Amino acid sequence: MEKKPHFVRREFPPREVPSVSLALLLAAVLLLNALLYLYLNKFYISSGRAETDLSLCPFGYFRLGTVKNCSPWLSCEAINREVRKLKCVGEGAVKKAFLSEWKENKVVLSQLTNSELKEDFLHGLKMLKALQSKHVVRLLGYCEQQFTILTEYHPLGTLRGLNETLHIPRYKGMNTWHRRLMLAIDYVSIIRYLHSSPLGTLVMCDSNDLDKVLSQYLLTSDFHILVNDLDALPLVNRSAGRLVKCGHRELWGDFVAPEQRWPYGEELPFEDDLMPPYDEKTDIWKIPDVSNFFLGHVEGSDIVRLHLFDIHAACKKKDPAERPSAQEVLDTYRKVLTLLIREAAMPGTREML
């Protein structure tokens, strides 16, 4: 008699693999967010980018290089005795800058070149002393009688040479959308600092074209930005009805804000007394153009521009009152950086979830 085959019914456990995978994925996302938070926290706070740099010395003192102790700002006598000029490295309308040496350290000695601009020179010195922070080039000494200022030397120079620097083999690894956006964040951080400085709301007036803006800032060896030239930094005081004008000549071009241009047409020749004053929102108008330079044309930079489109459109509002504050722009830049780093770290996460 033929035996019928016996079919054994197997009981399979519930399908837990997908739920376990989902749990692991969620855990990975949470871990990534935690690591991202720690990274950005380090970037914004402890990586030399905090509002109060704990490595700075007390007011009137500086620390240079690997020296642990703080030294007082050098006096006229000390500058004349201890600083040796090497070569000229830059010249503007107000002063000439010399690469110099002090106790085996490279420094920059700036000297007035036009006696008619003494007030501008002394104003720049006053601003440099009062605004010492992680946003501003480090002051090492000065001599008002001889119209000289001594500051820290940064071999990469001004932001004019940024693209050339990024093509040097040593720095090619820095030529990414991520690093370029961080430079833009540094720039907006400086504008925010000037608009809420210890002295009040200051306007960066040496900014009538992109090349002029770039010449005012230095690129440090660890790829951060410092403002270097503070000669034209007038104060806005709304409560006292005090606005500013950047110079006494007519300004042209799309780079300067609409309110900085002569409003009465060609039929009325420019006259400084008739030119209306304005406030710090002129700096906001220029942020998109400066940031566009920072972003360059590397892989990913167009994606960054797309994410910044709305805030940049707001910066270009014709009415200054409708433009965002520097703090609002900075907050948006930081959010975009966070979002893009998260997406770059875990591409496809959204689809998997």
Side-chain angles (χ1 to χ4, degrees), residues 283-346:
D283 289 334
I284 305 299
W285 170 273
K286 298 160 189 173
I287 286 176
D289 298 292
V290 180
S291 290
N292 187 55
F293 167 81
F294 284 130
L295 293 175
H297 300 284
V298 298
E299 183 180 356
S301 62
D302 287 341
I303 298 297
V304 178
R305 287 186 178 90
L306 183 62
H307 282 276
L308 296 177
F309 180 85
D310 288 342
I311 191 67
H312 283 173
C315 291
K316 290 294 187 179
K317 294 281 189 180
K318 187 172 182 180
D319 183 355
E322 295 181 5
R323 295 173 205 154
S325 66
Q327 182 65 62
E328 290 171 319
V329 179
L330 181 59
D331 290 342
T332 302
Y333 274 40
R334 286 175 170 171
K335 288 177 183 176
V336 168
L337 176 63
T338 302
L339 173 66
L340 293 178
I341 289 177
R342 182 185 293 123
E343 291 184 350
M346 291 195 72

Side-chain angles (χ1 to χ4, degrees), residues 6 15 19 73 82 130 135 161 174 180 190-191 199 236-237 244 261 274 277 284 288 316 345:
H6 293 281
R15 298 186 64 185
S19 60
W73 286 339
E82 302 172 10
H135 297 293
M174 297 286 193
R180 283 176 170 271
I190 292 173
I191 298 300
L199 301 177
V236 169
N237 188 339
V244 304
R261 302 172 211 153
L274 298 179
I284 305 299
K316 290 294 187 179

Side-chain angles (χ1 to χ4, degrees), residues 123 126-127 199-203 233-245 277-280:
H123 176 75
K126 177 184 175 182
M127 295 293 104
L199 301 177
T201 302
L202 300 168
V203 181
L233 210 62
L235 178 69
V236 169
N237 188 339
R238 284 192 184 83
S239 60
R242 180 180 176 183
L243 299 178
V244 304
K245 288 191 286 186
Y278 33 83
D279 62 18
E280 77 280 3

Side-chain angles (χ1 to χ4, degrees), residues 196-210:
S196 57
S197 82
L199 301 177
T201 302
L202 300 168
V203 181
M204 193 64 175
C205 266
D206 262 344
S207 56
N208 296 335
D209 57 63
L210 179 60

Side-chain angles (χ1 to χ4, degrees), residues 45-57:
I45 299 176
S46 64
S47 183
R49 298 293 89 192
E51 286 300 329
T52 303
D53 189 343
L54 299 179
S55 69
L56 292 176
C57 296

Side-chain angles (χ1 to χ4, degrees), residues 101-269:
E101 193 174 54
W102 175 75
K103 293 186 177 180
E104 300 182 351
N105 292 291
K106 293 290 192 300
V107 294
V108 174
L109 185 69
S110 300
Q111 295 182 316
L112 178 69
T113 55
N114 186 344
S115 59
E116 295 180 359
L117 299 176
K118 289 180 181 179
E119 289 186 10
D120 296 79
F121 183 91
L122 294 176
H123 176 75
L125 174 58
K126 177 184 175 182
M127 295 293 104
L128 192 56
K129 289 192 291 184
L131 299 176
Q132 282 295 288
S133 69
K134 60 134 185 140
H135 297 293
V136 179
V137 69
R138 189 169 303 181
L139 178 64
L140 308 179
Y142 62 91
C143 180
E144 288 192 30
Q145 296 93 318
Q146 298 174 8
F147 296 97
T148 59
I149 300 173
L150 193 70
T151 54
E152 189 174 15
Y153 173 63
H154 293 278
L156 295 183
T158 71
L159 291 177
R160 280 175 171 173
L162 174 63
N163 289 322
E164 290 76 10
T165 297
L166 288 171
H167 283 94
I168 298 173
R170 179 181 176 184
Y171 298 110
K172 278 189 175 180
M174 297 286 193
N175 197 17
T176 64
W177 70 263
H178 172 247
R179 180 59 65 172
R180 283 176 170 271
L181 178 54
M182 286 165 65
L183 289 176
I185 289 174
D186 270 2
Y187 169 71
V188 178
S189 296
I190 292 173
I191 298 300
R192 190 278 310 267
Y193 175 68
L194 295 178
H195 288 184
S196 57
S197 82
L199 301 177
T201 302
L202 300 168
V203 181
M204 193 64 175
C205 266
D206 262 344
S207 56
N208 296 335
D209 57 63
L210 179 60
D211 192 62
K212 186 64 174 175
V213 170
L214 299 177
S215 71
Q216 309 302 304
Y217 298 86
L218 296 171
L219 181 64
T220 67
S221 297
D222 61 347
F223 267 70
H224 286 294
I225 297 174
L226 298 172
V227 62
N228 181 54
D229 196 329
L230 303 173
D231 295 342
L233 210 62
L235 178 69
V236 169
N237 188 339
R238 284 192 184 83
S239 60
R242 180 180 176 183
L243 299 178
V244 304
K245 288 191 286 186
C246 291
H248 304 286
R249 298 179 181 179
E250 185 175 0
L251 301 177
W252 293 276
D254 293 333
F255 188 83
V256 297
E259 64 270 23
Q260 291 185 278
R261 302 172 211 153
W262 180 242
Y264 302 117
E266 296 181 359
E267 60 275 7
L268 183 63

